[in-house]
Amino acid sequence: MALTLERLRADVADLLGEEPEDIPVDENLVDYGLDSVRLMALVARWREEHGITTAYTDLAERPALEEWVKLLGLPA
């Protein structure tokens, strides 16, 4: 499955034990329980499965799905 906003949301939700619809696209994911270890796990998975090259630190500095879509060059 291609990396899309919906896939990002589903992966984050799965990692946090939430439903995808409960993860907002425009809010800081740290407020929902995303920490550095979980983010590193997501980045590792996306590198392996989707070949992303965006740095972990770039994603950590802007922890909102709408920002990640831009950083990863995904369709909005």
Side-chain angles (χ1 to χ4, degrees):
M1 174 181 269
L3 196 56
T4 62
L5 172 59
E6 292 78 22
R7 180 80 260 149
L8 293 178
R9 194 179 210 178
D11 288 350
V12 169
D14 182 56
L15 196 66
L16 299 178
E18 301 287 343
E19 294 298 320
E21 58 271 10
D22 294 335
I23 304 296
V25 298
D26 61 345
E27 292 188 30
N28 187 326
L29 295 171
V30 174
D31 295 339
Y32 289 81
L34 185 69
D35 58 25
S36 60
V37 174
R38 289 178 173 152
L39 179 55
M40 282 189 250
L42 282 173
V43 171
R45 180 191 315 175
W46 295 335
R47 281 193 177 131
E48 182 179 315
E49 294 177 3
H50 304 285
I52 71 158
T53 57
T54 305
Y56 157 82
T57 53
D58 291 337
L59 297 173
E61 288 173 2
R62 296 165 59 182
L65 292 175
E66 67 182 2
E67 295 298 323
W68 289 358
V69 166
K70 296 173 196 173
L71 288 168
L72 295 168
L74 305 177

